[in-house]
Amino acid sequence: MTATSQTPSAVSDKNRVLIFDTTLRDGEQCPGATMTLEEKLQVADLLDEMGVDIIEAGFPIASNGDFEAVEAIARRIKNATVAGLARAGMADIDRAGEAVRHARRPRIHTFLSTSPVHMKHKLQKEPDQVLEMVIASVTRARNHVGDVEWSAEDGTRTEHDFLCRCVEAAIKAGATTINIPDTVGYTAPHEYKALFEMVRNRVPNADKAIFSVHCHNDLGMAVANSIAGIEGGARQIECTINGIGERAGNAALEEIVMAIKTRNDIFPYQTGIDSKMLTRASKLVSTVTSFPVQYNKAIVGRNAFAHESGIHQDGMLKNTQTYEIMTPDSVGVKSTSLVMGKHSGRNAFKDKLKHLGYGLSDNQLEDAFVRFKELADRKKVIYDEDIEALVDEKIAHSQDRMKVISLLVVAGTMGPQAATLTLDLDGVHKTVQASGNGPVDAVFNAIKAIVPHEAVLELYQVHAVTQGTDAQAEVSVRLQANGNTFTGKGADPDTLVSSAKAYLSALNKLIAKHERLHPQHGIVAAE
Ligand code: KIV
Ligand code: ZN
């Protein structure tokens, strides 16, 4: 189902809450969550299909890559408003205006710090100078587009009088949405609600704009604060899939949507989100960012609908309402099913992908089918999760320049553990042998022998995609180099192959960044 998206002006229902997704901007800004252009497009398409009202596609002045991504998203998105972020400077705003220009519904989102601590130490400006900048930046943005959002950065630590003056001035200069972010995750629900009530009561032209919440999760209250802001009169929520974002992250979109849906008796609001797409969106974002979703994460964690204890299982068998406040189906969790085997044909496979929410081109479908057959040769039973891992993995690795060709590992008690690895580096095959303290260490040492680098392994995590000893292993790896973090994921029935894929995926991202900064270098492989 495609949910209909609405622009602020089209929203007549006073309880309709707009969902502004910033996974591709605030989410992508957190260390290690960098996405490629192709990945951003996949995420943006899914957000649009899911019914997100506004997609914040990036920060166009930050880099050429960001600009290109915002522009490409603006050109293709059919329903949602596409926003580009800009600081208060004219160059920022012009770049954002240029990037969103081709969107059906373009928005410029410009922001400026208003709290005493930010004005003094970050901006080194007096409040009156800041007020002038608010007016100038919003006016400039309005020259580009009719839909302008203004944010008072660190709004929750801003003096009320000054906040009201800035909001009034921004609306007068043409801002159609006013965002009061809890930039540092400091506020609490009753305080945030009161803040919106205060601003909406005191600012004379407040009725000319939609108010927005934007909460960070430093104290674990981002979702509760967002909903409290709505109770205080805001009608737009800024959030991210899986709650990814700076530091402890942003408010999680899926939690907000399901809190409103499940407790509509006390939160009588509506969003345009098709909640059945939440699980799919969570998986896609986790795959492309390589950020694992914690098992007990609300709504989309793998244990969110699992009932382990005997008492709970007994209650569930008698009546699911005993322990279930929402159904797995309502968020798109399908009961694990035995789906296909090695005799399944193309059409059945195509149907299954459609049912799982994938719209692949003919070439992508053919490629996925070949890999499905390979998997079916190695694994007796294939579940929905196996097919999702197979397709998601391809999305995550489509731009990789280094790939595993073959791997042979010696493991067990006799030692030394060793790995013989062949990699494809831009079409050239290189083979090495390496040993290590255990098979995983040997595999990683083999990669380092082919592609020497200084990155430090910060995280290595394995989990099984389904049950059974022949389950695919999904490995997450995090590398750290020069203050930057790069994450990678790999899936395969062989844990060591998925480990190699995950390490290479992170290394591919590291090298891509290195090459953006030093375009004259290629992949430097050892001879
Ligand atoms: O957290 C924040 O204040 C932001 C602004 C740019 C809206 O992300
Ligand atoms: Zn933020």
Side-chain angles (χ1 to χ4, degrees), residues 17-19 213 215 222-227 230 237-240 250-262 267 271 278 297 299:
V17 172
L18 298 166
I19 297 294
V213 299
C215 298
V223 170
N225 287 338
S226 301
I227 293 177
I230 296 302
I237 303 185
E238 306 195 359
C239 45
T240 60
N250 289 58
L253 181 148
E254 60 280 1
E255 295 179 23
I256 286 166
V257 167
M258 290 316 288
I260 291 177
K261 189 169 172 159
T262 308
F267 304 135
T271 71
L278 292 173
K297 162 90 178 56
I299 317 298

Side-chain angles (χ1 to χ4, degrees), residues 22-96:
T22 184
T23 306
L24 297 171
R25 199 278 298 168
D26 225 353
E28 213 238 356
Q29 223 164 285
C30 74
T34 318
M35 297 172 222
T36 63
L37 174 62
E38 179 57 31
E39 290 165 348
K40 288 181 184 178
L41 298 181
Q42 300 255 0
V43 172
D45 285 349
L46 194 77
L47 294 174
D48 196 32
E49 197 186 335
M50 193 165 83
V52 161
D53 299 284
I54 302 108
I55 298 172
E56 186 162 55
F59 191 2
I61 198 136
S63 67
N64 286 342
D66 252 57
F67 178 88
E68 280 160 21
V70 177
E71 193 186 37
I73 291 169
R75 282 181 189 274
R76 73 197 267 134
I77 288 303
K78 299 192 178 68
N79 305 305
T81 296
V82 176
L85 185 71
R87 289 166 300 191
M90 300 303 133
D92 270 53
I93 292 167
D94 292 348
R95 194 80 173 133

Side-chain angles (χ1 to χ4, degrees), residues 25-26 85 109 111 151 153-154 179 181-183 214 216 238:
R25 199 278 298 168
D26 225 353
L85 185 71
H109 174 195
F111 69 100
S151 285
E153 191 184 5
D154 205 14
N179 180 32
D182 185 28
T183 305
H214 177 115
H216 282 267
E238 306 195 359

Side-chain angles (χ1 to χ4, degrees), residues 35-284:
M35 297 172 222
T36 63
L37 174 62
E38 179 57 31
E39 290 165 348
K40 288 181 184 178
L41 298 181
Q42 300 255 0
V43 172
D45 285 349
L46 194 77
L47 294 174
D48 196 32
E49 197 186 335
M50 193 165 83
V52 161
D53 299 284
I54 302 108
I55 298 172
E56 186 162 55
F59 191 2
I61 198 136
S63 67
N64 286 342
D66 252 57
F67 178 88
E68 280 160 21
V70 177
E71 193 186 37
I73 291 169
R75 282 181 189 274
R76 73 197 267 134
I77 288 303
K78 299 192 178 68
N79 305 305
T81 296
V82 176
L85 185 71
R87 289 166 300 191
M90 300 303 133
D92 270 53
I93 292 167
D94 292 348
R95 194 80 173 133
E98 207 186 323
V100 297
R101 166 164 87 95
H102 297 289
R104 292 192 187 182
R105 299 189 177 102
R107 174 180 292 191
I108 295 178
H109 174 195
T110 180
F111 69 100
L112 188 59
S113 292
T114 49
S115 67
V117 63
H118 275 220
M119 288 193 291
K120 181 166 178 209
H121 298 290
K122 185 178 137 179
L123 301 179
Q124 295 169 344
K125 298 229 180 283
E126 292 302 319
D128 280 346
Q129 293 174 290
V130 169
L131 191 62
E132 286 308 314
M133 288 169 75
V134 172
I135 297 166
S137 55
V138 173
T139 307
R140 181 75 159 219
R142 276 301 299 255
N143 287 339
H144 289 278
V145 289
D147 182 350
V148 172
E149 171 168 342
W150 180 74
S151 285
E153 191 184 5
D154 205 14
T156 51
R157 294 193 300 167
T158 297
E159 284 171 357
H160 288 184
D161 285 353
F162 185 60
L163 181 61
C164 289
R165 281 174 67 206
C166 289
V167 169
E168 183 178 352
I171 296 174
K172 200 163 161 212
T176 41
T177 300
I178 297 291
N179 180 32
I180 308 183
D182 185 28
T183 305
V184 290
Y186 179 70
T187 197
H190 67 283
E191 185 184 65
Y192 202 44
K193 176 181 177 198
L195 182 66
F196 281 94
E197 286 168 345
M198 182 279 296
V199 174
R200 291 179 63 246
N201 279 332
R202 283 183 51 185
V203 170
N205 53 2
D207 61 328
K208 306 239 164 5
I210 288 183
F211 281 79
S212 177
V213 299
H214 177 115
C215 298
H216 282 267
N217 206 27
D218 300 66
L219 294 173
M221 292 191 280
V223 170
N225 287 338
S226 301
I227 293 177
I230 296 302
E231 291 179 313
R235 285 294 176 270
Q236 174 179 289
I237 303 185
E238 306 195 359
C239 45
T240 60
I241 302 290
N242 296 338
I244 64 166
E246 290 272 15
R247 308 179 309 277
N250 289 58
L253 181 148
E254 60 280 1
E255 295 179 23
I256 286 166
V257 167
M258 290 316 288
I260 291 177
K261 189 169 172 159
T262 308
R263 294 309 312 274
N264 212 253
D265 53 332
I266 56 169
F267 304 135
Y269 312 108
Q270 290 98 47
T271 71
I273 301 293
D274 174 2
S275 65
K276 290 196 176 197
M277 292 186 68
L278 292 173
T279 299
R280 172 87 204 94
S282 164
K283 284 191 177 157
L284 178 64

